[in-house]
């Protein structure tokens, strides 16, 4: 048995061990075919049910109505930044963007190249340490959609209460917290997520799309960038990332076996509390970046008294088998990414390590 570390990487990130073991077991001979899943046609009778089950299970876990569609696309969440306005921001319309971090800014940067996209609210002034107050959101006249980033991977903030603007559809980048908690999908016209944080390996981007949004797609954009084409072809318009989709399916089955999203949320809250409590009880030795009412359950960001101690912390943590804790340069300090697949024991080990490190260095 290989020695496994406690993996706090931001993405690609930890996968459930049973998923890796099953993939390993089936790698050379998938279901008695004498072939690897890596070697067979995406139109084979073995692969078709994989896409179908993945779509249905994804909808089941989210409680999405049956007529919603799930697409397995390529190009990462970054391609969605452009695809969303190309499909849903026609000339004459406006889209509103709420800026809560690096990724929402990148989404806006792409949208303004394509159409009239505006900033409806932003927390950039305080280095994205919080989600803007709903009362500060300034909407355009009947925008085509409002774009949000549900969890800000780099800054460690999240919409603790997801917003709802009534009839105005939301579009959300949920790359780093999809399937981490239950929520009502109906206010969303479209949700997208790069798989490599909370869903599976890199190489596939999952999109959930509402039927009325599929109707809005213009016919004059490149075929590969049309959501309706991918929906009509069940994500098999061209060769999809078959292995990534297969691993996503194994992760979805694992999630269901864990008790689904309600059970996941409960566990994620307990995991995050172990680390946030350690920060809050450190007498200021550890300082969280996120304001308390905007704290992410997926990415915990914190600073130490100085950069030298931060370097020492990262090095000693790695020595102790706790890897991937160095924060992003735009925040500095540490970031513990504790996605669905990161077990409670990893968070307990980190909390214990933090207390011991403070004792030695505080
Ligand atoms: C990682 C991340 C992205 C970028 O995803 P790619 O798949 O690399 O394009 C976008 N948005 C959020 C919230 C992310 O965490």
């Amino acid at each position: 048995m290989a020695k496994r570390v406690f993996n706090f990487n931001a993405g690609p990130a930890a996968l459930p061990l049973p998923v890796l073991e099953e993939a390993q077991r089936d790698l050379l001979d998938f279901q008695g075919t004498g072939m690897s899943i890596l070697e067979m046609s995406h139109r084979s009778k073995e692969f078709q049910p994989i896409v179908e089950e993945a779509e249905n299970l994804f909808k089941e876990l989210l409680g999405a109505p049956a007529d919603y569609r799930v697409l397995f696309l390529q190009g990462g969440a970054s391609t969605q930044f452009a695809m969303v306005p190309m499909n849903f921001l026609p000339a004459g319309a406006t889209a509103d963007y709420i800026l809560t971090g690096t990724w929402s800014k990148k989404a806006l940067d792409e949208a303004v190249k394509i159409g009239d996209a505006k900033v409806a609210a932003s927390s950039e002034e305080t280095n994205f340490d919080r989600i803007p107050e709903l009362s500060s959101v300034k909407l355009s006249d009947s925008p085509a959609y409002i774009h949000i980033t549900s969890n800000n991977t780099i800054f460690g903030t999240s919409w603790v209460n997801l917003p709802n603007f009534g009839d105005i559809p939301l579009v959300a980048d949920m790359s780093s917290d999809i399937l981490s908690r239950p929520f009502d999908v109906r206010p969303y016209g479209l949700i997208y997520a790069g798989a490599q944080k909370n869903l599976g390996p890199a190489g596939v981007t999952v999109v959930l799309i509402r039927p009325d949004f599929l109707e809005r797609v213009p016919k004059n954009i490149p075929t590969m960038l049309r959501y309706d084409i991918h929906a009509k072809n069940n994500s098999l318009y061209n060769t999809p990332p078959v292995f990534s989709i297969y691993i996503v399916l194994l992760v979805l089955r694992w999630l269901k076996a864990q008790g689904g999203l309600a059970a996941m949320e409960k566990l994620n809250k307990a995991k995050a509390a172990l680390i946030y409590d350690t920060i809050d009880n450190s007498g200021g030795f550890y300082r969280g970046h996120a304001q308390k009412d905007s704290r992410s359950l997926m990415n915990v960001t914190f600073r130490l008294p100085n950069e030298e101690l931060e370097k020492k912390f990262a090095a000693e943590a790695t020595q102790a088998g706790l890897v991937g804790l160095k924060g992003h340069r735009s925040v500095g300090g540490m970031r513990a990414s504790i996605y669905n697949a990161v077990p409670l024991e990893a968070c307990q080990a980190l909390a214990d390590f933090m207390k011991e490190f403070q004792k030695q260095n505080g």
Side-chain angles (χ1 to χ4, degrees):
M1 180 61 211
K3 185 180 169 344
R4 304 266 303 163
V5 294
F6 290 127
N7 182 353
F8 298 98
N9 278 318
L15 287 165
L17 185 58
V19 165
L20 295 174
E21 286 169 342
E22 182 172 350
Q24 182 184 46
R25 216 166 37 238
D26 288 350
L27 190 66
L28 299 186
D29 180 6
F30 182 74
Q31 292 178 354
T33 55
M35 279 184 284
S36 173
I37 186 87
L38 287 160
E39 301 173 298
M40 59 179 69
S41 167
H42 56 294
R43 308 205 185 275
S44 62
K45 70 174 189 333
E46 285 79 18
F47 187 69
Q48 301 270 354
I50 291 177
V51 187
E52 227 177 88
E53 186 185 343
E55 168 160 15
N56 290 332
L57 201 43
F58 190 84
K59 288 199 286 194
E60 180 187 327
L61 285 163
L62 277 174
D67 55 355
Y68 281 48
R69 293 303 309 273
V70 178
L71 312 176
F72 299 96
L73 308 181
Q74 300 188 64
S78 299
T79 298
Q80 295 305 305
F81 295 164
M83 231 169 122
V84 163
M86 286 174 95
N87 282 265
F88 309 123
L89 182 51
T94 306
D96 287 340
Y97 280 67
I98 301 181
L99 302 190
T100 51
T102 311
W103 296 116
S104 36
K105 275 175 72 176
K106 288 193 167 169
L108 175 70
D109 286 349
E110 294 298 293
V112 297
K113 291 178 194 166
I114 288 152
D116 183 19
K118 294 204 166 78
V119 178
S122 171
S123 55
E124 188 164 22
E125 240 174 51
T126 53
N127 198 24
F128 297 118
D129 66 345
R130 65 196 163 83
I131 300 301
E133 298 278 341
L134 275 185
S135 59
S136 75
V137 177
K138 290 197 172 55
L139 298 181
S140 310
D141 252 5
S142 59
Y145 61 85
I146 300 169
H147 183 281
I148 63 164
T149 312
S150 55
N151 184 77
N152 300 283
T153 324
I154 292 175
F155 295 91
T157 64
S158 129
W159 288 85
V160 174
N161 300 304
L162 287 161
N164 185 340
F165 296 94
D167 288 344
I168 309 168
L170 285 162
V171 169
D173 176 358
M174 296 199 176
S175 292
S176 52
D177 71 343
I178 186 80
L179 304 188
S180 68
R181 54 176 169 170
F183 68 96
D184 182 7
V185 300
R186 287 167 304 178
Y188 298 83
L190 185 142
I191 291 166
Y192 61 92
Q196 69 273 20
K197 276 119 189 183
N198 216 13
L199 280 178
V204 64
T205 307
V206 182
V207 169
L208 178 76
I209 187 164
R210 208 168 67 184
D212 61 301
F213 260 53
L214 277 175
E215 303 289 319
R216 293 194 197 186
V217 174
K219 308 275 180 273
N220 62 347
I221 57 173
T223 313
M224 276 296 286
L225 302 180
R226 281 175 54 175
Y227 292 109
D228 60 336
I229 295 285
H230 291 292
K232 203 178 296 165
N233 291 279
N234 301 319
S235 299
L236 298 170
Y237 172 74
N238 74 324
T239 316
V242 289
F243 193 68
S244 297
I245 295 171
Y246 163 67
I247 300 289
V248 166
L249 172 61
L250 298 188
V251 171
L252 296 174
R253 285 181 187 158
W254 174 82
L255 263 172
K256 186 174 172 178
Q258 302 304 298
L261 303 197
M264 225 56 232
E265 178 179 45
K266 195 163 165 238
L267 180 61
N268 285 330
K269 281 185 171 164
K271 284 155 53 184
L274 286 170
I275 307 170
Y276 285 124
D277 287 350
T278 306
I279 293 170
D280 293 341
N281 296 326
S282 72
F285 183 78
Y286 297 111
R287 281 168 298 126
H289 177 72
Q291 298 293 321
K292 284 188 184 173
D293 60 0
S294 300
R295 280 175 164 175
S296 165
L297 296 182
M298 298 280 98
N299 310 95
V300 180
T301 48
F302 57 96
R303 307 289 314 247
L304 275 75
N306 58 59
E307 283 186 24
E308 215 167 297
L309 277 177
E310 287 170 346
K311 272 199 191 114
K312 190 168 182 225
F313 183 98
E316 291 184 7
T318 304
Q319 280 293 316
L322 305 158
V323 309
L325 288 164
K326 191 177 166 346
H328 191 275
R329 63 189 177 285
S330 44
V331 181
M334 302 296 135
R335 169 175 54 177
S337 298
I338 51 173
Y339 303 120
N340 284 346
V342 175
L344 186 76
E345 301 82 71
C347 299
Q348 187 62 61
L350 174 57
D352 293 345
F353 176 84
M354 288 169 73
K355 287 175 194 143
E356 188 55 34
F357 187 86
Q358 182 179 1
K359 225 182 263 169
Q360 302 292 330
N361 300 277

